[in-house]
Amino acid sequence: MPNDFSFQEGDRYQWERFISAEDVKRFAEVVGDLNPIHLDAEFAEKSFFKKRIVHGAFLGGLISKVLGMDFPGQGTVYLSQNSAFKRPVYVGTTVTVEVKVTQVIVEKRRLVLETNVLNENNEICLTGSATVWLPE
């Protein structure tokens, strides 16, 4: 990560990711959340959602990936995150993670970021904000 701290309010970053059934299965196995709404098509068909949905924590993990690897980038330390789920993300779809700088705290090398995950119809599925620190 570069030592400069040249972020501005309004700076943005987007990243797309296809979420496969295998991705969801592996995530479920790693974290131990084997809820059938995520893994069992027959169970999900009888649910409110009618199809398998992606774990909310999986979506949060995609935000973490962007913050720690892409924008602001490697070395970023996640200090806080708040999130609200607006609609489901279905297994087998592509999502877009959007990050926007809403506040720059230069003296503490911190950023406050708007964080969103959108579905293929450009609808917000997860919205929130994060605070991160960029060490020198």
Side-chain angles (χ1 to χ4, degrees):
M1 178 186 73
N3 280 340
D4 69 341
F5 192 80
S6 58
F7 296 94
Q8 303 282 323
E9 287 183 20
D11 287 351
R12 295 175 178 267
Y13 183 84
Q14 287 188 334
W15 175 69
E16 287 188 353
R17 170 76 152 68
F18 177 76
I19 304 173
S20 70
E22 182 61 25
D23 292 333
V24 172
K25 179 179 180 242
R26 288 190 333 227
F27 179 85
E29 290 170 348
V30 167
V31 301
D33 181 353
L34 304 176
N35 184 334
I37 195 68
H38 307 298
L39 303 170
D40 183 332
E42 189 176 305
F43 178 91
E45 189 176 291
K46 296 173 187 167
S47 76
F48 172 81
F49 299 108
K50 305 299 180 205
K51 294 190 267 184
R52 291 173 52 198
I53 61 171
V54 177
H55 298 76
F58 186 109
L59 301 175
L62 297 180
I63 294 170
S64 179
K65 179 270 187 211
V66 167
L67 299 182
M69 297 303 296
D70 306 316
F71 183 86
Q74 293 184 22
T76 297
V77 177
Y78 221 152
L79 298 177
S80 69
Q81 173 78 48
N82 69 57
S83 299
F85 298 97
K86 299 297 185 180
R87 58 183 44 85
V89 169
Y90 296 103
V91 174
T93 61
T94 298
V95 295
T96 301
V97 176
E98 290 183 339
V99 176
K100 176 183 161 189
V101 177
T102 59
Q103 185 180 4
V104 178
I105 308 165
V106 176
E107 63 278 3
K108 292 186 175 185
R109 296 184 57 85
R110 291 184 182 187
L111 299 173
V112 179
L113 307 161
E114 178 182 316
T115 57
N116 292 307
V117 176
L118 294 84
N119 64 17
E120 293 173 324
N121 298 322
N122 211 33
E123 300 168 314
I124 294 176
C125 298
L126 181 155
T127 188
S129 66
T131 302
V132 297
W133 171 57
L134 287 81
E136 293 186 49

